Each structure stands twice: as C-alpha cells, then as structure tokens.
Amino acid sequence: MMFPKDRTLYANLNTSFTSFDALIADLKERKLTGYIEITAPAYTGTLLLSEGEVVNAQELSGDKRTVGPEAARGVMERAAQKDGVINVYSAFPDVVLLLHRLMDSRPLYRDLTSAFTSLDRLISKLRSDGLTGYVEVHIGENEGAGIIYLAGGEPVESVFSSGGQMTNGQEALNAIVSTVNTSGGTFNVFVEAGDASAAGAGAAPPAKPQEDFRAELLAFWDDVISITESTVDGFAKPGRFLMAFREVLVSRAVTYPFLDPFAAEFSYAGGHISFDHPLPDDFNKALGDCLSDAVSKLAFQFKRADLETRVRSRLDGISEKHAAIIDRFGLRDDVQEFVA
C-alpha cells in the first residue's frame, strides 16, 4: 500500500540522531492525524496516527508485508537503530480512517492485465458493486505504480509514483488512467476484510444440484475449443489462440455478462472450461460466437484464409463423438461453422 500525504511535517530525520520516543510524544501533543514513515535499505515501516494515537501499522521488508500490532512493534524497533530515515506527514482524517480499515484487506482479483481488462471498466465494476478497497496498478515495464482507494465503490483518493515523483488526488487518478492507456499495466484488487458486499464477488453462489448432462456438455466444449487451440498454435506462436480467445471473451461480456472476467465465473485454460455456476440459457450461443470471433480474428492477423477450413478439418468426428449432447441441446446452429 502507498499512502497519500497531505503535508510534510518533518523530512529526512536520521534515526541515529532522533529520539523516536520524543518524536512520538511531540506528535501526540499535536494530535497529528497522518503517518510516520521509516525507510532503510529494503525496508519501509509506517505508523498510522489518528489524533496523535497509533491506530495501525505496516512493515514492508523485502517481499514480506506485516500489519497491525506486530508491525507497530517492528517499526518502533527499527526506529531505534542507526541509518534509517524518518519522514512525518499529515493526512485527511477520512483517508486515515479508510486506510486503517483497509490495512488488513484481502485480495479479490490478482494480475489482471490491460490487454484484457480496461481500468475504466474495472473501476466501474467496483463502483457498481459498492466495494470498499483499493486497486494496485503497476504500469508498463517499471514505468510507475499507482493505487486507487475506494469507499462504497467511489474513488476517494489516489497515489501515483513515477520517475521519483509522487502525486495524490484527482491528478494522480488522471495520471494513472492516462499512463495505463498509453503503456499498459497490471492490476490487483483488494477489499476490506469484512466487506459484506464483496463476500460473493468472484465466488460461486451456494451450491445447487447440477443440471442434467452438464458434464457432457462441458466436455463437448472442452474438445471443440482445445482442438481449435492446438490447430491454431500448431502453425503460430504458442498461446496466440488463448490470447485472442480471452480478448473476445472480454468484448463479448457486454452481451454475455457471465463471460466478464471480473465476475470470475467462466475461464478456459489447459484445455478445460471452468464454470461453477448454473449454465445460462445462452451459454452455448455465447461460446459459439466467441469461438467464431476468435478464429476470424486470427485468420485476419495471420493472413490465413484457410484457417477456418483447417479447424473444421481437425474437428471432423466431433459430431459423432458428441452426437447425443449436440442433439439434446440443439448445438448444431451454435457450432455449424466448425462442426458439420
């Protein structure tokens, strides 16, 4: 977590020459609301203060993150050692309160990429869900990082760091969105540990009896998609089909919401579909449309007018293998471009 700062009270105090107890007493008397930050090689410790009282803490040491009382003790101990740097910042009370709530947050989505996910759309999704949490943004090839804090789904504060410069507020939010649109990025979403509105986000609803023939239907689509994937990747760079297919899933999510990657309902990887929810009525139509779009997209990119013919040839025999399920669900119209 990066912390937004309103005003710097003390800058670059050396721990070797600073009485940390005296500093804490001074800030308590001032009733400071803000942060004390201690930095050292491969270490950053932060104490969160409200009205002069330490309410929470965070330690980052290498790849390890610690929060709460244990982190507060660690920061105090590091402040007593040599060659650390202390900075003290004020912050708005509502922001400090939100950060206190989010210190022990939990991940909701990890490693979303701008290649498949629009940051604007992600924020709209989180707004509609009314989530309280934050979005970590890592831009391009180490071109910067940002964080967007949300309360009840609304962005309330942002921090953007790039080239050694840090900005806050609306300026930071605008910079994050603009830079991601230009250079791309990856996103991680975290939510307040006790946020009831997020309890079901990205998770399957309570289990219900599975539909009849569900396994057979998914096995049919596994065969169709995986054979198409191996056909494409057989004469192209491995992974090209999956990339195109995922791009199509995102674009088709407007028509078929269950394909939305933020809903975490549908996924395809390693030759198998994962879908734990009840099958929507338009499930087969959606997959047929997406498969057709992906193959057409790739045929254009590769300048291979024969790609559909190659796929159709490889799928020869699928209609016999899955004849019962094709007839039961009337799938011929959905896959007629590929399965005779």
Side-chain angles (χ1 to χ4, degrees), residues 10 13 32 96 129 195 200 208 223 228 245 255 301 312 331:
Y10 298 111
L13 302 178
L32 174 74
V96 171
D129 289 343
D195 190 348
K208 298 179 181 179
D223 277 356
T228 303
F245 189 58
T255 305
Q301 291 176 351
R312 183 190 292 272
L331 298 179

Side-chain angles (χ1 to χ4, degrees), residues 110-122:
R110 285 192 180 276
D111 300 323
L112 302 175
T113 71
S114 56
F116 305 110
T117 301
S118 161
L119 180 57
D120 288 331
R121 188 176 175 195
L122 171 60

Side-chain angles (χ1 to χ4, degrees), residues 67-115:
V67 300
E70 180 183 351
R73 289 190 294 270
V75 174
M76 297 285 192
E77 292 172 1
R78 185 63 187 83
Q81 300 175 21
K82 295 181 179 181
D83 301 324
V85 176
I86 303 172
N87 291 285
V88 181
Y89 308 95
S90 66
F92 296 110
D94 56 339
V95 173
V96 171
L97 176 60
L98 177 62
L99 291 171
H100 171 50
R101 292 169 56 188
L102 295 178
M103 198 70 81
D104 191 22
S105 53
R106 62 180 179 83
L108 181 63
Y109 304 118
R110 285 192 180 276
D111 300 323
L112 302 175
T113 71
S114 56

Side-chain angles (χ1 to χ4, degrees), residues 2 11 29 37 56 75 101 107 123 144 146 154 157 185 206 213 223-224 230 237 246 253 268 270 285 336:
M2 293 191 295
E29 184 176 350
E37 183 179 82
N56 217 322
V75 174
R101 292 169 56 188
I123 294 172
E154 293 299 322
E157 183 59 281
F213 305 104
D223 277 356
V224 171
S230 65
K237 184 178 179 180
R246 285 176 174 171
Y268 170 81
K285 179 69 163 59
Q336 62 181 345

Side-chain angles (χ1 to χ4, degrees), residues 113-248:
T113 71
S114 56
F116 305 110
T117 301
S118 161
L119 180 57
D120 288 331
R121 188 176 175 195
L122 171 60
I123 294 172
S124 296
K125 169 68 175 175
L126 300 178
R127 177 182 282 117
S128 66
D129 289 343
L131 298 184
T132 295
Y134 60 94
V135 183
E136 285 183 347
V137 181
H138 300 277
I139 298 168
E141 295 294 330
N142 299 317
E143 295 179 44
I147 190 164
I148 303 168
Y149 291 100
L150 304 104
E154 293 299 322
V156 295
E157 183 59 281
S158 300
V159 185
F160 179 58
S161 176
S162 179
Q165 300 296 315
M166 182 174 289
T167 55
N168 299 335
Q170 188 63 46
E171 180 184 355
L173 180 59
N174 293 342
I176 292 170
V177 173
S178 174
T179 312
V180 166
N181 289 341
T182 301
S183 302
T186 59
F187 321 126
N188 298 309
V189 180
F190 296 82
V191 295
E192 184 180 10
D195 190 348
S197 65
K208 298 179 181 179
Q210 288 191 336
E211 303 94 317
D212 290 342
F213 305 104
R214 175 192 179 92
E216 290 89 341
L217 180 62
L218 293 180
F220 164 78
W221 282 112
D222 280 351
D223 277 356
V224 171
I225 299 175
S226 63
I227 290 172
T228 303
E229 179 179 22
S230 65
T231 303
V232 171
D233 289 355
F235 63 88
K237 184 178 179 180
R240 286 298 299 274
F241 171 81
L242 188 57
M243 179 180 293
F245 189 58
R246 285 176 174 171
E247 289 173 349
V248 169

Side-chain angles (χ1 to χ4, degrees), residues 299-318:
F300 176 78
Q301 291 176 351
F302 299 154
K303 295 180 173 56
R304 295 297 298 254
D306 64 337
L307 182 59
E308 290 186 9
T309 302
R310 286 172 173 264
V311 171
R312 183 190 292 272
S313 175
R314 286 288 307 279
L315 288 171
D316 186 36
I318 286 287

